Amino acid sequence: MNETKPGRQCFMDRAVELAVYAMKNGLGGPFGAVVVKDGVIIGEGYNQVTSSNDPTAHAEIMAIRNACQNLNSFQLTGCEIFSSCEPCPMCLGAIYWARPALICYGSGRADAARAGFDDAFIYEELVIPEENRVIQTFYMPNKQAVEAFQLWMDKENKKKY
């Protein structure tokens, strides 16, 4: 889908504005994002990786956190996410877990790579067998870890997500 409804441009403009703000103020890379519900921005975020010393403080993650707080919900059902750049694998995973209806982005991963933000290696690592990945990965079977899932399945008052 390459179409956007009239009026959505202002949300993309705000995401880009946040990206420029973060970059100009030394808060992180040039990335911004907003979450919209029923035509209203309910969450905003910009990259704060370097200013917060948090590698997960990407714009989309910060916008999702802000929107979920404002909605008092862990899901963004019926929401739209506007990001200044195509979400990286981590952000895309978080977006899918949040379950919005739509993602729009203003620049692509190739644009980000040209600026030094290349996440191609992560996409490549995801399909490599664990034993051949750059970061050593080991499966350590643990009975208690498996039992924790059984406890969850048996829990009567759990909040599913």
Side-chain angles (χ1 to χ4, degrees):
M1 177 175 141
N2 205 15
E3 299 176 31
T4 58
K5 289 182 183 176
R8 285 188 172 150
Q9 187 60 50
C10 66
F11 303 130
M12 182 59 69
D13 291 346
R14 178 62 180 155
V16 173
E17 184 179 296
L18 289 165
V20 172
Y21 170 82
M23 184 267 308
K24 283 187 174 180
N25 288 284
L27 300 170
F31 303 95
V34 298
V35 178
V36 175
K37 185 168 180 107
D38 300 324
V40 177
I41 294 175
I42 59 161
E44 294 187 332
Y46 48 83
N47 187 286
Q48 298 177 51
V49 169
T50 56
S51 60
S52 67
N53 294 317
D54 179 354
T56 69
H58 288 201
E60 297 90 342
I61 301 290
M62 303 307 288
I64 289 168
R65 289 175 182 164
N66 184 231
C68 286
Q69 256 186 340
N70 290 335
L71 288 176
N72 195 29
S73 175
F74 55 85
Q75 292 189 335
L76 298 176
T77 306
C79 294
E80 300 177 344
I81 296 180
F82 294 82
S83 178
S84 64
C85 185
E86 181 178 0
C88 75
M90 176 185 68
C91 292
L92 190 59
I95 289 167
Y96 270 85
W97 281 119
R99 296 178 175 92
L102 175 79
I103 307 166
C104 292
Y105 57 92
S107 60
R109 66 175 89 161
D111 300 309
R114 278 191 295 280
F117 299 97
D118 193 356
D119 53 14
F121 76 97
I122 298 172
Y123 287 102
E124 293 164 4
E125 283 286 299
L126 292 174
V127 296
I128 295 174
E130 289 179 354
E131 64 272 9
N132 297 330
R133 292 182 183 165
V134 171
I135 297 176
Q136 290 185 340
T137 306
F138 296 100
Y139 172 51
M140 294 177 55
N142 183 288
K143 184 178 178 182
Q144 290 80 17
V146 175
E147 288 172 355
F149 286 113
Q150 187 60 51
L151 290 171
W152 171 258
M153 289 186 292
D154 294 342
K155 185 176 172 72
E156 290 186 25
N157 61 343
K158 64 184 163 228
K159 193 170 189 177
K160 292 184 180 183
Y161 58 98

